[in-house]
Amino acid sequence: MLTNTELEKKWESLTFTDDFIFSRVMHDENICRQVVEVILGVQIGKIRYLSAQDEHKTDPDSMRIIMDVFLRDENRIINVEVQTGHKKELPHRSRYYQSVADVNTTPTGAKYRELPDNILIFICTFDPFEENLPRYTFEYTCNESPHRLKLKDGSIRIFLNTKATELTALDQKLQAFYHYLQEGVVESTLTQEISHKITTLKTNSIERRAFMTLALKMADIRYDAFDEGYEEGREQGFQFGREQGLEQGLEQGLEQGRIRGAYEKALETAKNLLAEGIDLQLVARCTNLPLDTVQSLIQSP
């Protein structure tokens, strides 16, 4: 059980890239606009939010996803995600996110030429492709074209490697954004506003209570799952050992049982957290389950 002191420390240590803070800061329209403009290097029109960590599905039997910040202006739809854990399925996840964004924003009878640009941005606290680049921008190109012919379908995926140390390829505003994410250094109007917003949030008793309630609920579920998983694994281990009739078999059975029991309880924990509306990525991190495993738990309607 987390103590009040531990909860207070967790609350005070939250930064921009923590899910709880990121969602709230990015739903300040002024800050959100500046973050997107700094990353894209262009001005965007009047924005409207399409979700605030809402669930998205293409049909009742498809995999559902929860987007951190999903918005659009007159010409484009933009999804901004923060990613703090190195996930190997990130490229496939980005593909699915863009597909769902297209389906959910395209009205019946629309012309293909009317599709807005679809931009997906992942702010990663690690190097997602291990090429030591501060930024990775992907667009569809023709492999056979000597001029790297672009498809120009309006689909762009951007991955920011905020752990990068060589930032000279970025403009000064984006460098300042990276410095803030890396070290908390305030060097620009944007980072000053982000820092002020976070400070304001942390002095808000309602926000603090909401975070602590969520943290306690997750901690309780994880503690119960560990305790039950250990007992179930212990029983399964004894059964395996009795069947083998050997002391070594008992030891092996105990270990196998613990692993199996822990995995089964991790699945149960994930289901409980999902039922509470907890973000998929957060559930995956808390249960140490792969994101695709967590997603598979909610594919059925």
Side-chain angles (χ1 to χ4, degrees):
M1 177 69 69
L2 291 172
T3 65
N4 286 335
T5 300
E6 290 171 330
L7 286 170
E8 288 288 351
K9 286 183 178 180
K10 287 176 67 70
W11 172 245
E12 292 301 327
S13 68
L14 293 180
T15 65
F16 181 71
T17 54
D18 287 289
D19 288 332
F20 188 91
I21 295 294
F22 180 76
S23 176
R24 281 155 173 76
V25 172
M26 287 293 282
H27 278 80
D28 179 310
E29 183 176 341
N30 179 51
I31 292 177
C32 182
R33 176 193 300 280
Q34 291 185 69
V35 169
V36 172
E37 289 182 342
V38 163
I39 294 172
L40 297 183
V42 299
Q43 289 188 330
I44 61 175
K46 180 176 176 58
I47 65 174
R48 64 184 178 90
Y49 291 98
L50 300 176
S51 77
Q53 290 197 328
D54 291 335
E55 177 186 319
H56 297 269
K57 297 181 73 172
T58 55
D59 64 68
D61 295 320
S62 67
M63 183 188 304
R64 73 178 181 177
I65 60 175
I66 298 177
M67 297 179 177
D68 286 344
V69 180
F70 188 35
L71 55 94
R72 73 171 300 164
D73 68 358
E74 292 90 343
N75 305 308
R76 45 181 86 84
I77 51 177
I78 303 169
N79 178 205
V80 187
E81 300 284 323
V82 62
Q83 183 69 50
T84 58
H86 197 169
K87 304 296 182 181
K88 293 182 178 179
E89 71 272 13
L90 197 56
H92 290 86
R93 181 176 162 214
S94 69
R95 166 185 160 187
Y96 190 76
Y97 269 46
Q98 282 198 306
S99 298
V100 172
D102 273 333
V103 172
N104 281 356
T105 57
T106 305
T108 302
K111 305 294 185 182
Y112 291 121
R113 64 176 177 272
E114 297 172 347
L115 285 173
D117 288 352
N118 187 335
I119 301 174
L120 175 60
I121 300 169
F122 273 100
I123 300 174
C124 302
T125 59
F126 56 92
D127 187 344
F129 301 103
E130 301 181 351
E131 292 284 340
N132 298 318
L133 297 174
R135 172 194 181 113
Y136 301 88
T137 303
F138 294 90
E139 297 181 72
Y140 292 113
T141 59
C142 178
N143 293 333
E144 292 77 14
S145 170
H147 308 294
R148 300 298 291 173
L149 175 68
K150 290 186 178 181
L151 187 59
K152 295 183 179 180
D153 67 341
S155 174
I156 301 174
R157 303 182 210 178
I158 299 171
F159 301 82
L160 302 186
N161 166 24
T162 64
K163 286 298 184 183
T165 55
E166 179 52 61
L167 305 177
T168 55
L170 308 178
D171 65 31
Q172 290 186 344
K173 289 184 178 180
L174 192 51
Q175 287 187 40
F177 183 60
Y178 273 59
H179 290 159
Y180 177 74
L181 297 182
Q182 292 171 346
E183 304 172 9
V185 178
V186 175
E187 301 175 334
S188 65
T189 300
L190 171 59
T191 55
Q192 183 178 24
E193 291 185 19
I194 292 174
S195 179
H196 177 71
K197 181 69 175 182
I198 293 175
T199 299
T200 301
L201 284 169
K202 287 186 176 180
T203 57
N204 187 312
S205 61
I206 295 177
E207 293 287 3
R208 184 175 69 252
R209 191 180 308 116
F211 170 78
M212 291 183 175
T213 299
L214 174 63
L216 281 173
K217 184 179 296 182
M218 294 181 65
D220 285 345
I221 292 175
R222 293 180 67 185
Y223 178 83
D224 291 343
F226 175 81
D227 191 46
E228 293 175 21
Y230 177 81
E231 290 301 323
E232 288 186 12
R234 185 170 180 272
E235 178 58 34
Q236 292 176 17
F238 276 120
Q239 179 62 32
F240 183 87
R242 284 193 292 268
E243 292 172 356
Q244 296 297 314
L246 299 170
E247 182 177 347
Q248 182 179 2
L250 178 59
E251 293 177 357
Q252 292 175 350
L254 282 170
E255 179 61 23
Q256 290 182 16
R258 276 193 289 267
I259 294 172
R260 185 186 305 171
Y263 179 72
E264 290 176 352
K265 293 312 300 180
L267 292 176
E268 182 178 338
T269 300
K271 291 178 181 178
N272 290 335
L273 293 173
L274 290 169
E276 295 290 339
I278 307 303
D279 176 64
L280 289 173
Q281 298 176 54
L282 196 54
V283 172
R285 289 203 296 273
C286 289
T287 58
N288 290 320
L289 290 172
L291 183 61
D292 55 356
T293 299
V294 176
Q295 290 173 326
S296 69
L297 298 175
I298 51 178
Q299 287 186 19
S300 58

